[in-house]
Amino acid sequence: MKKSLRLILSVVLSAVLVLSLAACSNGNGPAVSSTPTSTESSEVSGTTSGDSESQPIGIITAMSNELKMLLEKAEISETKTIGGVDYNIGKLEGQDVVLVQGGIGKAMAAAGTSVLINEFNVKSIIFTGIAGGVGDEVKVLDEVIATDLVFHDYGNQTNDGFVWNAEGGVNEDGSIPVDKDLSQKAYEAAVSVLGEEHVFQGRIATGDQFVASSEYVTYLQDEFDAIACEMEGAAVARIAAQYEVPCCVIRAMSDKADGVAHDTYENFGDTAADNSAKIVLTMLQNM
Ligand code: ADE
């Protein structure tokens, strides 16, 4: 090949390379993973970015009955489906929100939380839904606002049975934090909706199990000092902590996680779900 032709070819190839790299960095290009060079940083900021006035609040639930009232009250301007899950963008009680029924269990909750943070740049996250009452004093239709959470099913299965492992959490004791201010706002809203005697603040235990066993309730009390159990809260809080996005977990008791939990849940689940949603509405009004 002639020297001049080689030169033209290499200029054209370089231009194509530069243009395609520019397209990728604009977010218009294909999803590619790149290995950073020694002069690039591979770290992306963990926190959400932007003007918090214009950032929406993310509201996530597991089930449709937990989101129903909020969807009915909201003015939804757009719905984006990501990974088969609908993210409803709009206004609720004067606040910009993204409402999502993330799905049941830790995996779906973590995925939904990650999308709220990374696709919608939410400034905070509120989980609302129902749970099983674990604390002796916590009755059906009472409300629990998480002070922190644990993954009760994270650990090792051994010949001596299950051994819980604190490494699933954030703090040394294995607990996962929530935002104090946001949780306090949730508590105040809950008290104004239900009355102080029906609202508790304490630890919530999360696992991929519907708990319907008095024996396991005693275990959750003794091992974790938990006052409620459910299947998503700690996963939401774990991902929110990872990205340093404030979050809170609001749960109404649909049952007592005991031997008759399935029946109690059938009877009280919808009312409990609505109670938590009302608390979210009040919280948004007060913000
Ligand atoms: N959500 C509502 N009740 C529950 C229970 N008993 N266990 C786990 N998640 C729940």
Side-chain angles (χ1 to χ4, degrees):
M1 201 186 301
K2 272 189 166 168
K3 210 172 172 187
S4 57
L5 192 61
R6 271 211 309 268
L7 189 66
I8 290 167
L9 207 59
S10 88
V11 167
V12 169
L13 281 174
S14 305
V16 167
L17 190 66
V18 165
L19 284 173
S20 57
L21 281 176
C24 289
S25 71
N26 282 338
N28 300 327
V32 290
S33 69
S34 64
T35 311
T37 64
S38 57
T39 53
E40 282 176 65
S41 166
S42 60
E43 181 127 352
V44 177
S45 167
T47 52
T48 54
S49 58
D51 167 16
S52 76
E53 286 291 303
S54 62
Q55 287 176 265
I57 298 167
I59 300 176
I60 181 166
T61 75
M63 299 184 296
S64 60
N65 63 347
E66 295 167 326
L67 197 64
K68 187 170 171 277
M69 180 185 284
L70 301 178
L71 270 181
E72 283 166 3
K73 299 259 180 203
E75 285 165 40
I76 302 301
S77 49
E78 193 185 354
T79 298
K80 284 190 180 168
T81 305
I82 301 173
V85 173
D86 288 345
Y87 294 80
N88 304 284
I89 305 158
K91 286 253 180 205
L92 186 57
E93 302 293 355
Q95 307 283 345
D96 289 318
V97 293
V98 181
L99 304 176
V100 58
Q101 179 202 337
I104 296 173
K106 295 184 298 182
M108 294 306 280
T113 304
S114 177
V115 171
L116 283 176
I117 294 168
N118 290 303
E119 296 288 332
F120 296 99
N121 194 28
V122 295
K123 63 181 170 193
S124 58
I125 296 177
I126 299 171
F127 186 100
T128 170
I130 62 179
V134 169
D136 288 331
E137 70 285 18
V138 180
K139 312 254 176 332
V140 172
L141 296 183
D142 283 351
E143 203 71 30
V144 169
I145 312 298
T147 49
D148 61 9
L149 301 98
V150 290
F151 290 124
H152 66 78
D153 58 353
Y154 189 97
N156 305 314
Q157 282 297 347
T158 74
N159 285 337
D160 298 322
F162 176 71
V163 181
W164 185 70
N165 190 330
E167 284 166 20
V170 170
N171 299 321
E172 228 168 86
D173 66 352
S175 63
I176 298 161
V178 288
D179 185 76
K180 279 203 170 65
D181 288 348
L182 203 59
S183 302
Q184 183 58 26
K185 286 190 175 90
Y187 176 75
E188 284 161 17
V191 167
S192 78
V193 172
L194 295 174
E196 206 174 352
E197 67 278 23
H198 293 297
V199 186
F200 296 84
Q201 290 172 296
R203 177 169 292 165
I204 293 180
T206 300
D208 280 319
Q209 298 158 1
F210 184 90
V211 179
S213 151
S214 308
E215 204 182 314
Y216 202 75
V217 165
T218 305
Y219 167 75
L220 293 176
Q221 290 174 342
D222 294 349
E223 190 73 20
F224 305 109
D225 207 14
I227 64 168
C229 65
E230 36 82 311
M231 302 175 68
E232 298 84 17
V236 172
R238 181 70 188 83
I239 300 302
Q242 191 75 15
Y243 286 94
E244 298 173 29
V245 174
C247 102
C248 69
V249 177
I250 302 170
R251 291 284 192 174
M253 303 306 104
S254 56
D255 59 90
K256 283 287 290 170
D258 53 11
V260 294
H262 285 102
D263 290 338
T264 329
Y265 169 92
E266 283 301 323
N267 290 329
F268 295 98
D270 289 348
T271 310
D274 282 350
N275 281 354
S276 277
K278 279 180 203 156
I279 290 163
V280 174
L281 293 173
T282 304
M283 232 180 129
L284 296 177
Q285 285 159 12
N286 296 342
M287 278 173 157

